Amino acid sequence: IAASRSIAIGSGATLDVFGRLDQTLTLFSGKSLSGNGTLNGGLIVTNGATLSPGTGVGTLTVNGNVSLAGTTVVEIDKSLTQSNDVMSCFGVLTYGGTLVVSNQGPPYADGDVFQLFPPTTYAGAFTSIVPATPGNGLAWDTNSLSVDGTLKVVEGACAGPSTNANITSVNRSGTNLLAHGKNNNVPNR
């Protein structure tokens, strides 16, 4: 396992690390774990490592504690019966690092709820979510992640220019009125 950069646990397959002294699989920077199978033992995802539960949209089960400090990638497709990747943890799940949410289907809508991490004991928080918003006028509600493992989509602010445009001159040319200005959001080149 130590030499492999990527570990994929196939559907119905089990990777057993209970034979190790620490009974834990540790993913170091540059390493990844994915799949729809089961990991018997704990899991530590360090900074620079990647956890991607499921293959397509699917479920990865971990029979032990999980500590996330790297990147956790989940796919969501609302058009499927199982709408999102799931990481089932039968131990303490400690959030950390970056949660990357990859939409593979229809656009998100206010009121969408995705069970990413079924109920267990939770600790910590993700430091960031990518993308930062699920769409224009929408926001991520992460409050339930530490309660029941769900990520919600709620109404948020609409994105617009952070500053107004400045009109620098107005001229008449025949029957046309010409306004010239500068958009403060666009850097000068």
Side-chain angles (χ1 to χ4, degrees):
I1 293 174
S4 178
R5 294 191 70 67
S6 177
I7 301 168
I9 304 174
S11 182
T14 299
L15 174 60
D16 193 331
V17 296
F18 280 135
R20 295 176 43 94
L21 284 175
D22 62 0
Q23 298 184 345
T24 301
L25 173 64
T26 301
L27 297 176
F28 293 102
S29 183
K31 308 287 184 177
S32 67
L33 174 66
S34 64
N36 292 323
T38 301
L39 173 64
N40 278 340
L43 175 64
I44 297 173
V45 181
T46 66
N47 190 21
T50 302
L51 171 66
S52 183
T55 302
V57 172
T59 300
L60 178 66
T61 301
V62 180
N63 291 318
N65 296 329
V66 175
S67 177
L68 304 173
T71 301
T72 302
V73 179
V74 293
E75 293 180 344
I76 294 177
D77 186 341
K78 296 184 336 181
S79 68
L80 301 175
T81 302
Q82 179 177 335
S83 65
N84 55 271
D85 285 331
V86 173
M87 203 237 9
S88 291
C89 171
F90 293 94
V92 176
L93 172 57
T94 304
Y95 298 123
T98 301
L99 176 62
V100 176
V101 183
S102 176
N103 189 6
Q104 304 295 308
Y108 301 117
D110 181 25
D112 285 345
V113 178
F114 304 104
Q115 178 91 52
L116 304 179
F117 309 97
T120 188
T121 302
Y122 304 99
F126 287 107
T127 55
S128 62
I129 297 181
V130 175
T133 67
N136 195 22
L138 300 172
W140 298 117
D141 178 353
T142 60
N143 293 327
S144 296
L145 279 173
S146 61
V147 176
D148 61 11
T150 58
L151 178 65
K152 298 177 181 177
V153 177
V154 296
E155 189 174 312
C158 289
S162 57
T163 59
N164 294 327
N166 290 326
I167 296 177
T168 56
S169 66
V170 177
N171 299 311
R172 189 180 80 170
S173 174
T175 58
N176 296 319
L177 185 63
L178 304 175
H180 297 273
K182 175 179 154 187
N183 179 348
N184 290 330
N185 289 325
V186 179
N188 292 331
R189 298 193 196 272

